[in-house]
Structures are given as C-alpha cells and as structure tokens.
Amino acid sequence: MPTTPSDRTVFRTCPLCEATCGLEITIKDGAVARIRGDRDDVFSKGFICPKGSTLKQLHEDPDRLRKPLIKRNGTHVEVSWEEAWQEVERGLMGVINTHGRGAVGVYLGNPNAHNLAPLIYNRVWLQALGTKQRFSASSVDQIPKQVSSGYMFGTPATIAIPDLDRTQYILMLGANPYDSNGSLCTAPDFPGRLEAMRERGGKLVVVDPRKSKTAEHCDEWLAIRPGADALFLAAIANTIFEEGLSNVGDHMRPNVAGLDVLPAALKQFTASAVAQAVGIDAETIKRIAREFAAADKALVYGRIGTCTVSFGTTASWLVDVVNTVTGNLDREGGVMFTMPAAGGPTTRGQKGTGKGFSIGRGHSRVRKFPEALGEYPVSVMAEEIATPGEGQIKALITAGGNPVLSTPNTLALEESMKSLEFMVSVDIYLNETTRYADVILPSPSQLERSHFDLVFTGFSVRNVANYSEPVFERGADQPDEWEIFLKLAGIAQGMGANADVSMIDDFTLDAFIGSIMKDSSSPTNGLTAEQIREQLDATGARGADRMLDLMLRTGPYGDGFGANTSGISLAHMKQHPHGIDFGPLEPRIPEVLRTPSGKVELAPQPLLADLPRLAQSMTEFNDEQLVLVGRRHLRSNNSWMHNIEVLIKGKERCTLQMHPRDAQRVGVQDGSVARISSRVGAIDAIVELTPDIRERVVSLPHGWGHDMSGTRMSVAAKRAGVNSNVLTDENEMDPLSGNSVMNGIPVTVAPVGV
Ligand SMILES: Nc1nc2c(c(=O)[nH]1)N[C@H]1C(S)=C(S)[C@@H](COP(=O)(O)OP(=O)(O)OC[C@H]3O[C@@H](n4cnc5c(=O)[nH]c(N)nc54)[C@H](O)[C@@H]3O)O[C@H]1N2
Ligand SMILES: Nc1nc2c(c(=O)[nH]1)N[C@H]1C(S)=C(S)[C@@H](COP(=O)(O)OP(=O)(O)OC[C@H]3O[C@@H](n4cnc5c(=O)[nH]c(N)nc54)[C@H](O)[C@@H]3O)O[C@H]1N2
Ligand code: SF4
Ligand SMILES: [Mo]
C-alpha cells in the first residue's frame, strides 16, 4: 500500500472502458481535487472522455457500497465482513451439501475484464466451486468473435486487431467508437485516430442501420438491414474471388489453409443474390469490394452489431476472411496481433502450433446448448434456474454483473431468480440484480486498488503496458478484491468463513510458478521454483500484484528473473507511471498460431457447415417488420454509471429512435410515448424521430430501467429510463457460439393509451 500524503498528483489508467486512457489525478487534503487526461501517457497522450473524470464522483458516491449487506426480512442491512462471510458459508454450503456443486450458478459481468484481481482469481474460486453452470456477459457480447478466432488462429484470445494508425481504408460494421471508444480494438482517442487516417487520405466506410456518430464522421455510410452483415461480407468475399482480386500476399501464402475451398463455398453469395436481404444494392457491394481490394492498406472491423445477431460467428469469421484474402492479415495497416506484456495464450506454450479450439465440452441441462469457452450462453440461465431436476441452479453468485438489465428476457430471468435458495453478489451497488442477493460483498473503490489491463493489453493497437498503484488506502476493514475471491474459494472448498486467504494465495502462486516452469518457452533464468518464489516475495507484493509480477517477468518483455537485464518487472512498471510503449504491432504469423495444422484455418468446418442457414437468410426476410437495435451513448456505460449526476443530466437519452415515415405508419409522434412489444415483453418509451435511421428499424439503448424497488441508486432512480432487455428474446441465439441476439429484434410499436 502506498502511503497517502494529502496533496499530490498521481497517474492511473481509467478502468471504465477498453480505451485505457491515462488519467492525471490531483489530490488535495486527501480527496480528489481534479482528474484530467495524462498528457504524458505513452498511449492516450492526454485524451479523456467525460466518464474518465467521474472516477471522483464514483469514489465519493454515497450510494456506493462500503460495507457488506445482508438481506433481512426483505431489506438489505449493513453487517460486518465477518458476519457476511458466515452467511455466505451457511447459504452456499447449505445448497452444495443438499443439492451438490452443480446447483451453484455463476454470472460474471463486464467490469471483471477491466479489473486485475478477478482476471487472476476468478478461475481460482470457480475451480473451487466445481460447477459447470457458468455464465458471463461474453455471451451477450464478443463470444462469436472469440469462437471464430479460435477456429481460425487456435485460441479464443488470438483476435486480429485493426492497425488503426497505419491503415488507409476501414470498412467498419456494427461499431460506433465515437460513442463507445472502441472494443476489441484498444485505442485511446479512437475518433482522433480515425480522423488522422482520413487526413492522410484514407477512407472510412461505416455499415450501420443507424447514422451513428461515427457514421456522421465517415466518407460513406451504408444503412444495412440488421443482422445481414454476414451476407454482406460473404458477397464482398465472393466479388473479390469472382473478379480475381484475391491475393493473400507472399508472407501469408505458406501459412493459410482452406483458401482452395472458399471460393466455391461462398459462390452462391453474389452481390446481386444478397442485395435485397442486405438492403444495400449490388453495385455498391461490388464497388466496396473492389475499393477494399485495391486499397494499399485496408481492414475490416466488426463489433457489437456484427456479434449480437444470429450470424454473429459467421460475420466475425468473414471479417477475417476478407482481411486475409486481400493480403491484410498480419501486415502493417491491416489487422495484426498484439504482443501482451503479461503474456497469455498467444505467447505461452509451444509457438506456431497447438491443440486448436473447439466447443461443446458438455451441454446445458435444459436446452442442451454446447459449452463455449468454459461457459453456457446466458440466454439459458433463467431456464437453468427455473427448471426442476438434477442439476437445477439453486444458488447464484454474480460478480460485477447486472444480468437483470443486461441479458435477454428480463422478466423471465427475474421470475426465476425469485426461486433461488441463496444468492451472493460481489458488487459496488445495490441495484436491479443485487437486490435479489442474500449477501452483497462490496469491492473496494476503483481508486483503492491497483490496476493493470491484463485483457486489453492483448487487444491494443500498439504494444503497451501501464500499471497503476492504488490512489487511496482501503477503509479499515475493507478487504482487497483478491482477498474476497480467495475467501470465496476457501469457503467453497469447505474451509469455512475463517479460511486463510494468504495461505490460499501462496498455494495459488506456487501452482502458477509450477506451470510456468513446465513451459520451456518461459524465461526463468534457470532458477528453481523456490528461488522464483523468493524473488517475488522479496518485493513485498502479495495477491494480484505478486501474480502480475510473475506474469510480467516471464512475459515477452520480461526480465526473466535476470535472463534479460533490460526486461520489465512490476518494480520496473512502477517507475513508469505513464506506461511503457513497446512500439507498433509487428507481424506474428506463424509464431502466434495455435492451430493443429500450424496454419490460419480460413475455412473451418463448423462455419462451412452453417452456410446453408446463411443462404436461407437470403430469402427469409420481412420488409414490413419493424426491428429493434441498440445503441450506446458516450456519457453512459452499460447499466452502471447512471448514478453519477454529471453524466446523467441533460437531455433524455433513453428514447426510441425512429424514422418519421415509420412513425406515421404506426401513428406515433415525436416526444410521445409509444408501447414497444416483442414476443417476450412490452415497454413504454419516448419517441424521438430522426431521418438518420434505416426505415423499419428502431433503436433503444440498453442498461436502463432503474425504477425497480429495493435498489439503492438514488440518482439513477430519478432518471430511470426503460429496460430494452424486457424485449430481447432468449430463444434467439447464434447457434455457433450461443451468443444472444440483441440486435434485430422483431417488435411492434403503437401509441400508448389508444
Ligand atoms: N440489449 C442489449 N443488451 C446488452 C448489450 C447491447 O448492446 N444491447 N450489450 C451487452 C454487453 S456488450 C455487455 S458487456 C453487457 C454487460 O453486462 P453486465 O456486465 O451484466 O452489466 P454491466 O452493466 O456492465 O454491470 C456491471 C455491474 O458491475 C458492478 N461493478 C462496477 N464496477 C465494479 C467493480 O469494480 N467490482 C465489482 N465487483 N462490481 C462492479 C456494477 O455495479 C454492475 O452491477 O451488457 C450486454 N447487454
Ligand atoms: N459510452 C459507452 N462506451 C462503451 C459502453 C457503453 O455502454 N457506453 N460499453 C462498452 C462495451 S461493454 C462494449 S462491448 C463496447 C461496444 O462498442 P461498439 O461495438 O462500438 O458498440 P455500439 O456503440 O453499441 O455500436 C454498435 C453499432 O451497431 C449498430 N448496429 C446494430 N445492429 C446492427 C447490425 O445488425 N449490423 C450493423 N452493421 N450494425 C448494427 C448500432 O446501430 C450501433 O451504432 O462499448 C464499450 N464502451
Ligand atoms: S474513453 Fe474509456 S478509458 Fe478513456 S476516459 Fe473515457 S471511459 Fe475512461
Ligand atoms: Mo460489452
């Protein structure tokens, strides 16, 4: 723990989104006086968005939990940590002893990906629990991209990242980085980087049913029909093949497999065959294909809008197919692979080949959906809780997640949650989800913990690393987040509420050292496990920091415990509060691959096998049907930054955007309240007319609906908005990954009170 003189300036990475901006935080009289962008940050160079400075308000938010809560007679009351842990032991072990370990369900939410301790320790308590009923926000987000990348490159962490700063042509689908600041492409000041590309003569094409803020700043906007990106990309690839424009490049030629079967597999997806279903005319599709193939350095980038649809995995695959067949995979200005400082699946083990990737190690109990990445789709969570029988979920643990607002068919999920025998949440608020918890365990504030972006240093547009020490000391009895997770692990192992977390931590570390020693590619300078342990302990670090030190030192830029004297360690990172820049991305194929063939698999069998379904979608669309898509706003963050007054004030944001002609057809007016209904539910929202949206498409943001009883978010409750996931349908999924369909939901819109 650093000591905390009352006046000082510290530097820290913002943990709120994937952009990982550097912050300069001025402390006066022991409190945050100001937060602004860190101009010396090696990556963000002073860029910040309106959310970054609100870490002050978040830290000071009186509604943020500082003590554990236990539900007594329907009301949450503050208790000591000791009491909370005893309750967790009683409740959790009660369920495990009666119904078995398979009766415990787990849901992990998005903030886990931005938080060092859970990234290291979640697997420890999950292993201790020994349940297969695992769910996460991945299956309402990026899992299709991970599945397609797993098939193509060998691991689900091997994701090809846009080389934004050197490209000359971006075909962007279903992403709006002007509001989201980017995803699966860590690039602080993403908008600035796009503008720089256009200034150097590059072209930005945005494919989005809505004229998003990014589309307002592009060279060409294509208003695609929701869900049709896979067809669009198939036709782009088809045109490239048909017109002889394919060229994978000399560097890639020996490293790709499946190129021979692709042209035939995609033969039926001609521009004219898909045009109607896609909603973009054939000539435009062909022109974009030609432009893309002719561009000096070009890349396709697809995100949420391409993933949370029923062809999510197919679209994600075709993104990389188009990149590869135009010679833009693994080359400057195309898509490339980041080299993460703390190492990971793309740096460890044998280089250039591996076990490859598959799904389906087990199936969900009720709907028999295949496992992917060690979890089941969150779309099946409610039925796993609600359906009686062996393996039914009776206890639920949520950590950093708000599935009630974030996952499909809220009403069904909530109904199921009422039947749980026990629920515990690790969270910082009493919100729509945690109100169901019997025990809520608060994480320390974002400013009371160390930070290192284990995930996003693997997906960034430059090779960078940045470590932040805690700004403030934790409150007297507030455990660190890793201690919370290891206590959970101890309890799940039957060690009880008094489980010794430092002992479990030592044990976990020793196991990790053991696995690194087994990996001959890890530099350990010939030391024994004991010597490594001694060196790590000598720094005084424990928990997440000590584990991070081990990862950094044995990572690709590490000091290897002396093997590389100019290499990095945690101590080294602490001397660089503005981060370290290891330079632009460099070609990594074939070394990065972990496929059994040692090649990029351009035509994975599961994707070829699903092409008939894609072909069917060319004819199965309904031009009359209104469909709902989502959107994000810069001043919001999924469901949970809505209790910050400075972010939430101003114009109402939770509105139903709609084309004036659609409004006329259904009889609603600008500013009036409309009822939106889907197969599973109905909500009322204020209509906002705009010509900047494709006809028959309406848009509503997610993460709202804060007017539920029993929560403690006083600011959010005043600007509640409505929950769009009352409308999303748990039966609509991407069959290849289990991802929920969150975009393109069939709805009707009608005036309220008529
Ligand atoms: N309709 C629709 N639904 C969507 C989407 C969409 O586009 N449309 N997007 C989806 C996407 S991409 C995502 S990622 C998911 C997000 O889904 P979730 O992760 O389930 O939801 P969040 O809103 O991120 O909720 C984060 C929770 O973590 C808590 N929290 C915040 N910081 C911390 C912390 O440091 N520690 C702990 N322990 N808890 C913390 C918050 O209080 C909140 O309860 O939503 C998905 N839902
Ligand atoms: N301010 C803010 N920033 C965030 C978040 C936030 O909630 N608020 N959430 C964070 C998270 S968890 C994530 S995953 C990222 C997501 O980051 P992005 O992927 O950039 O997500 P969005 O901003 O929702 O942009 C998705 C776009 O897809 C469009 N779209 C919808 N359906 C389709 C379709 O079928 N095809 C195509 N081509 N487009 C479609 C929508 O109109 C929308 O403009 O943002 C992160 N950053
Ligand atoms: S863009 Fe993201 S990382 Fe940067 S300040 Fe905003 S919320 Fe934080
Ligand atoms: Mo997300």
Side-chain angles (χ1 to χ4, degrees):
M1 277 271 109
T3 48
T4 55
S6 55
D7 289 3
R8 65 211 156 94
T9 300
V10 294
F11 303 94
R12 170 169 200 84
T13 307
C14 176
L16 296 177
C17 89
E18 297 181 38
T20 71
C21 300
L23 305 176
E24 179 195 284
I25 307 183
T26 314
I27 312 290
K28 279 212 162 62
D29 301 325
V32 175
R34 185 185 66 198
I35 300 184
R36 62 178 184 184
D38 174 8
R39 280 164 299 183
D40 296 323
D41 185 279
V42 295
F43 199 16
S44 62
K45 302 195 163 76
F47 177 83
I48 186 173
C49 89
K51 291 186 294 298
S53 68
T54 64
L55 285 183
K56 170 183 163 66
Q57 286 82 351
L58 182 61
H59 177 72
E60 293 168 0
D61 185 351
D63 286 338
R64 185 175 59 78
L65 303 180
R66 286 154 176 86
K67 287 238 174 342
L69 302 182
I70 289 189
K71 198 189 246 181
R72 289 210 177 109
N73 304 321
T75 311
H76 283 96
V77 295
E78 283 190 0
V79 296
S80 69
W81 277 92
E82 209 185 327
E83 215 178 327
W85 284 125
Q86 279 161 3
E87 186 67 12
V88 172
E89 184 190 0
R90 194 197 55 73
L92 200 58
M93 293 319 285
V95 168
I96 289 177
N97 292 335
T98 318
H99 307 286
R101 293 185 173 272
V104 184
V106 174
Y107 175 85
L108 303 176
N110 169 275
N112 287 284
H114 301 262
N115 193 349
L116 182 61
L119 286 172
I120 294 174
Y121 291 99
N122 275 346
R123 63 186 172 83
V124 181
W125 64 269
L126 286 171
Q127 223 161 29
L129 262 181
T131 177
K132 289 193 173 142
Q133 294 279 24
R134 298 183 190 174
F135 308 90
S136 86
S138 288
S139 58
V140 281
D141 189 349
Q142 82 293 343
I143 212 164
K145 187 73 195 174
Q146 294 192 271
V147 169
S148 75
S149 301
Y151 290 139
M152 293 181 81
F153 309 119
T155 94
T158 317
I159 293 175
I161 303 300
D163 187 15
L164 278 189
D165 297 339
R166 294 183 290 189
T167 193
Q168 289 298 100
Y169 193 109
I170 300 180
L171 176 59
M172 183 182 294
L173 308 101
N176 179 20
Y178 273 75
D179 277 312
S180 71
N181 279 302
S183 177
L184 295 184
C185 179
T186 284
D189 194 15
F190 203 130
R193 290 170 201 263
L194 293 177
E195 276 151 33
M197 179 197 69
R198 296 180 68 206
E199 269 162 33
R200 61 178 183 262
K203 178 167 180 178
L204 174 61
V205 179
V206 171
V207 182
D208 194 312
R210 212 171 50 87
K211 191 171 192 181
S212 65
K213 216 196 292 175
T214 308
E216 281 171 22
H217 292 85
C218 77
D219 298 284
E220 186 168 356
W221 168 47
L222 303 175
I224 196 169
R225 184 195 307 272
D229 298 77
L231 279 180
F232 172 77
L233 289 166
I236 295 274
N238 173 283
T239 307
I240 288 168
F241 290 132
E242 298 251 296
E243 302 192 1
L245 306 174
S246 165
N247 180 2
V248 297
D250 293 341
H251 155 56
M252 282 306 300
R253 201 158 290 120
N255 296 308
V256 294
L259 188 56
D260 48 335
V261 303
L262 267 186
L266 298 177
K267 199 170 175 50
Q268 57 189 316
F269 302 102
T270 60
S272 44
V274 306
Q276 252 206 312
V278 167
I280 300 171
D281 66 85
E283 263 325 298
T284 304
I285 298 174
K286 285 196 239 174
R287 176 175 51 80
I288 297 287
R290 290 175 199 136
E291 277 180 21
F292 191 88
D296 178 22
K297 300 161 169 180
L299 65 89
V300 189
Y301 167 61
R303 210 37 287 273
I304 279 290
T306 58
C307 282
T308 52
V309 291
S310 73
F311 293 101
T313 309
T314 313
S316 298
W317 164 59
L318 290 168
V319 163
D320 286 327
V321 163
V322 174
N323 282 324
T324 308
V325 301
T326 52
N328 287 299
L329 177 67
D330 200 42
R331 83 150 176 194
E332 273 187 29
V335 290
M336 304 185 80
F337 298 97
T338 314
M339 184 74 91
T346 71
T347 68
R348 298 220 165 86
Q350 195 184 347
K351 298 197 192 317
T353 178
K355 281 203 308 280
F357 172 81
S358 60
I359 65 167
R361 285 169 299 175
H363 289 77
S364 71
R365 185 178 59 102
V366 181
R367 232 191 291 173
K368 309 283 178 232
F369 226 92
E371 158 279 350
L373 278 77
E375 56 186 68
Y376 296 126
V378 71
S379 277
V380 311
M381 188 162 83
E383 72 204 26
E384 291 297 327
I385 300 173
T387 313
E390 174 88 30
Q392 179 184 10
I393 296 176
K394 299 280 189 178
L396 182 66
I397 306 180
T398 71
N402 192 2
V404 165
L405 293 193
S406 304
T407 71
N409 197 347
T410 297
L411 299 185
L413 176 62
E414 284 198 283
E415 206 39 51
S416 76
M417 286 169 73
K418 289 176 193 156
S419 71
L420 288 168
E421 286 179 17
F422 185 68
M423 175 168 159
V424 49
S425 293
V426 184
D427 208 285
I428 56 173
Y429 284 110
L430 174 47
N431 65 15
E432 299 76 16
T433 294
T434 61
R435 70 190 177 128
Y436 288 101
D438 298 286
V439 185
I440 309 176
L441 306 166
S443 307
S445 140
Q446 267 73 3
L447 298 181
E448 293 171 345
R449 52 169 100 137
S450 56
H451 182 84
F452 184 90
D453 278 297
L454 274 186
V455 170
F456 305 112
T457 46
F459 300 145
S460 56
V461 300
R462 290 184 72 85
N463 291 315
V464 291
N466 205 333
Y467 170 82
S468 320
E469 296 192 64
V471 179
F472 297 118
E473 284 190 37
R474 295 187 308 278
D477 47 3
Q478 169 71 48
D480 212 338
E481 213 158 6
W482 63 269
E483 297 176 295
I484 297 175
F485 293 130
L486 289 184
K487 182 75 88 174
L488 257 183
I491 290 175
Q493 278 284 295
M495 296 175 189
N498 292 323
D500 179 351
V501 296
S502 62
M503 193 265 292
I504 307 174
D505 188 36
D506 287 346
F507 184 78
T508 309
L509 176 73
D510 286 338
F512 192 24
I513 293 175
S515 75
I516 281 178
M517 304 283 298
K518 270 196 238 133
D519 176 0
S520 58
S521 71
S522 291
T524 46
N525 203 22
L527 302 189
T528 64
E530 290 69 30
Q531 287 168 320
I532 289 174
R533 172 73 191 273
E534 267 167 36
Q535 287 210 27
L536 292 170
D537 283 349
T539 66
R542 293 293 180 272
D545 280 1
R546 186 171 56 169
M547 297 284 264
L548 175 64
D549 196 17
L550 175 60
M551 294 180 194
L552 291 172
R553 298 177 79 168
T554 56
Y557 316 101
D559 72 3
F561 295 94
N564 169 15
T565 46
S566 58
I568 62 165
S569 63
L570 185 60
H572 190 91
M573 294 305 310
K574 285 181 183 176
Q575 288 161 9
H576 293 82
H578 309 290
I580 299 179
D581 180 18
F582 301 105
L585 304 187
E586 287 176 21
R588 289 194 59 192
I589 286 181
E591 154 273 311
V592 74
L593 300 174
R594 296 291 184 274
T595 48
S597 63
K599 292 181 193 262
V600 173
E601 293 293 349
L602 269 187
Q605 197 47 43
L607 284 151
L608 294 184
D610 195 48
L611 286 175
R613 188 176 66 97
L614 185 65
Q616 222 174 337
S617 76
M618 284 195 284
T619 51
E620 284 181 359
F621 56 90
N622 177 353
D623 264 328
E624 302 299 312
Q625 177 68 57
L626 276 179
V627 295
L628 177 72
V629 300
R631 67 174 187 270
R632 283 172 163 77
H633 190 284
L634 184 60
R635 301 179 79 88
S636 171
N637 195 14
N638 292 329
S639 75
W640 72 277
M641 289 288 283
H642 297 161
N643 210 46
I644 310 285
E645 186 79 48
V646 291
L647 288 179
I648 207 171
K649 68 182 184 197
K651 211 172 132 222
E652 175 66 42
R653 274 184 231 131
C654 189
T655 55
L656 183 78
Q657 291 182 344
M658 192 170 198
H659 196 281
R661 278 193 288 272
D662 286 329
Q664 209 176 15
R665 268 191 286 267
V666 302
V668 298
Q669 284 90 40
D670 190 52
S672 72
V673 176
R675 176 145 309 156
I676 313 144
S677 311
S678 74
R679 184 189 77 86
V680 299
I683 50 176
D684 294 348
I686 298 167
V687 174
E688 179 190 348
L689 296 188
T690 169
D692 292 335
I693 192 164
R694 189 187 159 86
E695 272 183 70
R696 312 290 178 170
V697 177
V698 293
S699 160
L700 192 68
H702 74 283
W704 297 87
H706 300 300
D707 49 358
M708 297 181 182
S709 64
T711 63
R712 203 172 295 167
M713 301 214 303
S714 50
V715 176
K718 281 187 274 177
R719 293 290 295 270
V722 292
N723 176 7
S724 68
N725 282 317
V726 167
L727 302 171
T728 46
D729 186 337
E730 78 279 20
N731 287 340
E732 295 297 323
M733 289 155 87
D734 167 20
L736 296 185
S737 68
N739 214 36
S740 308
V741 173
M742 304 303 228
N743 281 299
I745 310 296
V747 291
T748 57
V749 174
V752 167
V754 182

